[in-house]
Amino acid sequence: MAASEYSLPRAEFDKPVKLLIVVAPFYRDIADQMIAGATAEIEASGGSYEIAEVPGALEIPTAIGIAERLSNFDGYVALGCVIRGETTHYDTVCNDSSRAITLLGLQGLCIGNGILTVETMAQAEARANPEKMNKGAGAAAAALHLVALTRKWGAPRKGVGFAPAAEEYKLAGDPKDTPTA
């Protein structure tokens, strides 16, 4: 039986969406292709974006966490590329960046993970190219779908567990609006 891929229809919004694209441009040509795919997808959904560059894939989740605390983005797109080398550093970078992004997502952040973890540059090029696999657009679409779900299901719960309600402290920036569908 042949496998087939399915893509969800593009997310739609009543209120504008603003995403932060956090990119580790270690492989600049790969990063640029992924940014092109992500920005095209965000614009096609009527959204806007900012881009922040960080030194490497391990810094992507940290930058997203900082932006969530200090800014007012609806969601995040994580873009980078890790190509296997001769040491176990590859495993550390892949596992820890993915784990950190997952933990941020479980806290309620809307993140599309577009950090490529590949064996060769050829694999990275095929996945980054907007005319081929277009993983940058896929990561942006994932973030947009999570934003849409967040808006559909209402405002995030405040003060759940040990986390204080957002109104109890303010580090910087404007408070987030109450999402509406």
Side-chain angles (χ1 to χ4, degrees):
M1 178 183 231
S4 63
E5 295 181 8
Y6 172 76
S7 294
L8 294 173
R10 183 169 280 133
E12 296 180 4
F13 301 94
D14 294 335
K15 178 183 166 192
V17 175
K18 185 170 185 180
L19 299 182
L20 176 63
I21 299 170
V22 180
V23 60
F26 188 79
Y27 299 103
R28 181 87 252 174
D29 55 336
I30 299 298
D32 288 344
Q33 290 182 70
M34 293 185 69
I35 290 168
T39 57
E41 183 64 25
I42 294 166
E43 290 169 354
S45 292
S48 63
Y49 60 87
E50 289 184 26
I51 299 173
E53 291 188 352
V54 296
L58 288 174
E59 289 76 36
I60 292 172
T62 302
I64 290 171
I66 292 168
E68 178 66 14
R69 287 188 304 278
L70 303 177
S71 298
N72 195 24
F73 295 100
D74 296 299
Y76 305 91
V77 181
L79 300 179
C81 179
V82 185
I83 300 175
R84 185 179 297 278
E86 297 176 359
T87 69
T88 58
H89 182 66
Y90 170 87
D91 298 313
T92 298
V93 175
C94 294
N95 292 333
D96 290 354
S97 62
S98 178
R99 182 179 300 113
I101 288 171
T102 299
L103 290 172
L104 289 169
L106 291 172
Q107 294 175 21
L109 280 68
C110 301
I111 306 171
N113 186 350
I115 300 175
L116 302 179
T117 55
V118 297
E119 302 291 326
T120 66
M121 180 59 82
Q123 290 175 347
E125 290 167 349
R127 285 156 179 76
N129 189 330
E131 302 300 319
K132 292 185 179 178
M133 292 183 167
N134 201 8
K135 295 297 185 178
L144 290 163
H145 278 283
L146 291 171
V147 170
L149 282 175
T150 300
R151 289 183 179 184
K152 175 182 177 182
W153 291 333
R157 293 174 178 87
K158 305 292 184 193
V160 175
F162 295 105
E167 295 79 22
E168 292 180 28
Y169 63 93
K170 181 179 175 190
L171 299 174
D174 296 329
K176 295 197 180 244
D177 295 334
T178 302
T180 59

